[in-house]
Amino acid sequence: MALISQTRRLRRTPFSDGVEAAGVLAYTVYNRMLLPTVFKSVEEDYHHLKNAVQIWDVAAERQVELRGPDAARLMQMLTPRDLRGMMPGRCFYVPIVDETGGMLNDPVCLKLAEDRWWISIADSDLLLWVKGIANGYRLDVLIDEPDISPLAVQGPKADDLMANLFGDTVRSIRFFRFGMFEFQGRSMAVARSGYSKQGGFEIYVDGTEMGMPIWNALMEAGKDLDVRAGCPNGIERIEGGLLSYGNDMTDDNTPHECGLGRFCDTQTAIGCIGRDALLRVAKEGPVQQVRAISIEGAKVPPCDRVWPLLAGGKRVGQVTSAAWSPDFDTNVAIGMVRMTHWDEGTTLQVVTPEGPRDATVHESFWA
C-alpha cells in the first residue's frame, strides 16, 4: 500500500511527539487524526499488552460535549439505552442510532453533571448529526468538541502504574465509573474503561499543552513495570469480540444485529429518534448477527475488505475483521452471519484474498 501524505488536515495529537519517540511503525486515520496501530510488531505488541502495561494515544476518540438545560434530553434522543438512572460519575456504552435504527456510532458517554455530557466517539462525524438534531428540535444546548484528549493505560499492571502517578485511590474506581484526579494543578476525569479486555483506565487529558507532561510522567512512573507505548491491538480486540465501527458494523446495521441488544431499553428509552424502528426489530428479531468465526489454515492476510462467507456456494454472511491468534493457535475473526447459519459449530467457507478457507461459527468469542 502506498504511504498516506501527511498534511495539517490529518491532525497530530497532544501525544504524537511521545508516540514518535517510542518508534511507532504504523498509523491509521481516525476522526481525521493519527491513531497508532503498530510499535514493535502486531504480535509482539499483543504479547506485551497481555503481560505488562501500555500507554495508548487514543486522542482520536474525540469528545462531543453537550452542555445546557436540554443536554440530558438530547443525549436520550441519540440512543435506545435508557439513561434515566445514570448518575454523574458513570460511563455508559451507548449505541447511537438514526431514524431507521441504523448504527451511527458506538461510543462511551460520560455524565459529568445533569447538564453536561461527553460522548467519546468512534470514527464518524457524529458531531454533525448531534448538531443537526439539536438545531432541528431547537434545544437549549451547546454542542462542541472540547480540548479533551483520551490517553489509555491498558494491561494487567495498569492499576500499579496509575497508582504510582495518582495515588492508591485510583484503584477504587469501579468498572465504567470515573473520578476526578489532579495532575500538575489540572483536574482530569479518569475512567476505568478502555478498548481492550486486559483492564485499565482512560485519562481524559484536559488541554493539548498537558499531553506530553502526562505522557512523560506515566512513562517515568512505569519504568519498573515494563511500560511501553502501545495501541489498540487487532488480535486482542478480535479475541475479545470488541467491534470496530466502520469495520464490523455501519449504519446499515441495527444494534441487535451487532449483538448490542442488551444495551437497548427500547420500550423505556422515550424520545430516542430510532425508537419506533427498533421496536419493530426487537419484536421480529434480527435476520443476521455478529458472530465469532475461526478460520483454518496458515495466518490469514490483513482483512482490509469484506470476505464473503459461503454455504454450498451461496453467500450467507461476511468476515469483517480477522487475524492470527498466537494464544489460541487459530485465525480468529468477526463476521456478520445470517440466522440460518449462525448456530455454534456451523461450518462455512470464507473467501480470502488467498483463496477459500474452511471456517467455523462460534456463539462466543475467545476472551
Side-chain angles (χ1 to χ4, degrees):
M1 179 179 174
L3 294 175
I4 297 175
S5 298
Q6 190 170 331
T7 70
R8 289 187 64 249
R9 287 183 291 105
L10 179 53
R11 296 158 55 189
R12 292 171 63 82
T13 83
F15 318 111
S16 290
D17 288 348
V19 165
E20 289 167 359
V24 64
L25 296 180
Y27 291 104
T28 190
V29 179
Y30 197 98
N31 285 322
R32 302 182 183 84
M33 294 188 83
L34 294 167
L35 176 64
T37 57
V38 183
F39 281 87
K40 302 292 186 181
S41 72
V42 175
E43 288 196 11
E44 188 172 343
D45 294 350
Y46 161 88
H47 288 300
H48 182 265
L49 171 61
K50 288 191 166 187
N51 289 286
V53 61
Q54 296 179 351
I55 303 171
W56 295 0
D57 173 3
V58 286
E61 295 173 1
R62 304 311 297 160
Q63 307 304 299
V64 175
E65 182 174 271
L66 316 181
R67 191 169 70 254
D70 287 334
R73 179 187 173 195
L74 175 57
M75 190 66 234
Q76 186 63 83
M77 292 175 75
L78 301 174
T79 179
R81 184 163 187 181
D82 190 340
L83 305 179
R84 289 178 299 172
M86 186 178 182
M87 302 297 292
R90 293 289 302 274
C91 312
F92 272 17
Y93 180 75
V94 288
I96 303 288
V97 299
D98 64 13
E99 73 283 0
T100 70
M103 292 285 295
L104 293 178
N105 210 277
D106 68 324
V108 172
C109 80
L110 290 77
K111 184 174 182 178
L112 291 94
E114 288 296 331
D115 61 352
R116 190 179 181 207
W117 302 66
W118 286 343
I119 311 173
S120 190
I121 65 171
D123 185 22
S124 80
D125 291 314
L126 192 69
L127 178 70
L128 303 180
W129 170 259
V130 178
K131 280 181 173 286
I133 298 301
N135 184 63
Y137 282 86
R138 299 184 180 276
L139 301 181
D140 187 3
V141 60
L142 296 174
I143 301 155
D144 196 11
E145 181 187 299
D147 188 13
I148 300 293
S149 298
L151 185 65
V153 178
Q154 299 287 295
K157 298 180 182 178
D159 276 63
D160 293 336
L161 173 53
M162 291 292 285
N164 286 349
L165 186 63
F166 291 106
D168 280 335
T169 306
V170 78
R171 297 180 187 271
S172 64
I173 300 175
R174 295 165 61 191
F175 185 60
F176 263 46
R177 264 80 165 178
F178 69 90
M180 304 305 295
F181 289 80
E182 190 169 296
F183 176 78
Q184 294 186 0
R186 189 77 58 90
S187 182
M188 300 183 187
V190 175
R192 189 177 288 277
S193 58
Y195 196 54
S196 85
K197 290 285 190 172
Q198 306 312 308
F201 300 84
E202 289 177 300
I203 307 166
Y204 290 80
V205 177
D206 184 359
T208 298
E209 72 281 2
M210 301 300 291
M212 285 313 301
I214 197 166
W215 176 280
N216 291 331
L218 284 164
M219 284 293 184
E220 181 66 26
K223 279 185 175 180
D224 296 334
L225 300 171
D226 190 24
V227 67
R228 289 186 196 171
C231 52
N233 184 270
I235 305 170
E236 194 268 351
R237 82 159 183 89
I238 296 171
E239 288 178 353
L242 299 177
L243 305 187
S244 169
Y245 187 79
N247 285 317
D248 305 312
M249 54 184 164
T250 69
D251 58 1
D252 289 329
N253 303 119
T254 68
H256 300 276
E257 290 178 338
C258 301
L260 305 177
R262 65 189 183 279
F263 298 109
C264 297
D265 310 297
T266 315
Q267 291 285 351
T268 57
I270 306 300
C272 171
I273 285 174
R275 180 171 178 263
D276 288 347
L278 288 178
L279 283 171
R280 292 192 296 271
V281 172
K283 181 179 179 180
E284 298 167 4
V287 298
Q288 61 177 357
Q289 199 168 61
V290 162
R291 284 292 186 270
I293 310 284
S294 59
I295 302 174
E296 294 186 13
K299 294 181 182 180
V300 291
C303 185
D304 63 350
R305 62 207 69 185
V306 298
W307 298 347
L309 281 167
L310 307 179
K314 180 182 178 182
R315 183 163 176 161
V316 295
Q318 60 188 25
V319 164
T320 51
S321 296
W324 172 259
S325 166
D327 282 0
F328 293 95
D329 196 32
T330 189
N331 292 294
V332 295
I334 297 172
M336 188 73 73
V337 186
R338 292 192 66 81
M339 64 182 300
T340 51
H341 294 80
W342 70 27
D343 289 341
E344 171 74 32
T346 302
T347 301
L348 303 173
Q349 266 203 333
V350 57
V351 183
T352 78
E354 297 177 349
R357 302 269 194 103
D358 288 336
T360 304
V361 178
H362 304 279
E363 288 187 359
S364 58
F365 286 87
W366 292 266

